[in-house]
Amino acid sequence: MRLRSGAIAEHATCSNSTVRLSDHRQHHAFNSLHQEGESAMSSCLPTPPSLSSWLPRSRRSPGEARRLLENLLADAPGGERFLESGKLLVSELVTNAVLHGTPLGRQVQLVLDVNRRRLRIEVHDARGERGLVLRAAGGEDESGRGLAIVKLLAHRWGCCPREGGVGKIVWAEVESPVGCAR
C-alpha cells in the first residue's frame, strides 16, 4: 500500500484503525542509518507527527476526521497554526469522499502529516473514475462549495490515482505563515 512518497505503510495489526506513522519512521530511519554505518545518534531527531486512519462511509466521518486532526496537531510543536484551516479542509475532503467517492461497504482512508512548515491532508477513496469537479454554486444551492473552499484555503491541492489504479487520493497542503516555522 502506498500512502505517499516517504511514508511507510503500516504493517502491524492493531485494535483500532488509527496508526501513528512516526514510530515506524523513527525505527526505519534508525535501521537505515545503522546499516549505512552512520552514527545512531543522528536518528534521535524528532520525527514529524503523522497518522493514517480508516473511516467508514458515514456522515459522522468528517467529525471523526476533525477529532483526529485536533489530536495530531495538539502533539505537534506549533501545530495550532494549522488548526482552523486544517479542520475546514479535512471536513470538506472527507465529506466529498464519503458522499461522492466511496461506494457502500467501502471505507475512506485519512492520512495526516504535519511538520513545522506545513500540514498535509490526504483522503483516499475507492472511486478513481469520479474526478473532481470545481463548480460555481449558486446562492440558493445547498452544496457545491467544498472544492472552492479547498482552493481558497490550501497552498497546494490536487488529485491523483491510487497505486494499483483503484480509487484516487485528494490532497491539500497548508503552509505555516512566513516567520512562524519554529
Side-chain angles (χ1 to χ4, degrees):
M1 172 188 352
R2 182 184 76 95
L3 297 179
R4 72 192 159 287
S5 175
I8 299 170
E10 66 269 15
H11 53 274
T13 304
C14 38
S15 59
N16 65 26
S17 61
T18 302
V19 176
R20 290 206 182 254
L21 299 174
S22 300
D23 294 335
H24 296 295
R25 287 185 182 160
Q26 283 183 329
H27 179 72
H28 180 71
F30 176 81
N31 286 339
S32 296
L33 288 171
H34 192 349
Q35 289 171 356
E36 294 172 11
E38 295 183 23
S39 168
M41 291 302 291
S42 60
S43 68
C44 295
L45 298 174
T47 303
S50 300
L51 71 80
S52 174
S53 183
W54 288 95
L55 303 171
R57 183 183 184 264
S58 165
R59 63 184 176 160
R60 294 184 180 145
S61 288
E64 176 64 10
R66 286 190 300 274
R67 187 187 65 75
L68 291 167
L69 176 69
E70 288 171 351
N71 290 340
L72 179 73
L73 293 179
D75 291 344
E80 69 279 352
R81 295 186 313 267
F82 304 112
L83 186 59
E84 295 307 314
S85 295
K87 285 183 356 183
L88 286 168
L89 287 167
V90 81
S91 292
E92 292 300 333
L93 296 179
V94 170
T95 297
N96 282 348
V98 166
L99 293 177
H100 308 295
T102 307
L104 286 172
R106 302 294 298 267
Q107 293 184 318
V108 172
Q109 184 180 20
L110 173 66
V111 179
L112 301 170
D113 186 66
V114 64
N115 63 34
R116 59 192 176 104
R117 292 194 183 103
R118 62 110 186 101
L119 165 67
R120 181 176 175 93
I121 301 165
E122 292 182 6
V123 178
H124 301 229
D125 67 39
R127 285 200 173 133
E129 74 279 0
R130 293 186 109 171
L132 301 180
V133 178
L134 181 61
R135 64 181 177 96
E140 299 296 316
D141 291 341
E142 293 183 12
S143 63
R145 293 173 182 81
L147 288 179
I149 292 171
V150 171
K151 183 178 178 183
L152 286 172
L153 292 176
H155 286 86
R156 283 179 298 282
W157 70 283
C159 179
C160 59
R162 291 180 75 190
E163 190 172 288
V166 178
K168 66 183 173 299
I169 302 168
V170 182
W171 58 272
E173 291 185 353
V174 179
E175 291 182 352
S176 177
V178 176
C180 291
R182 297 180 211 168

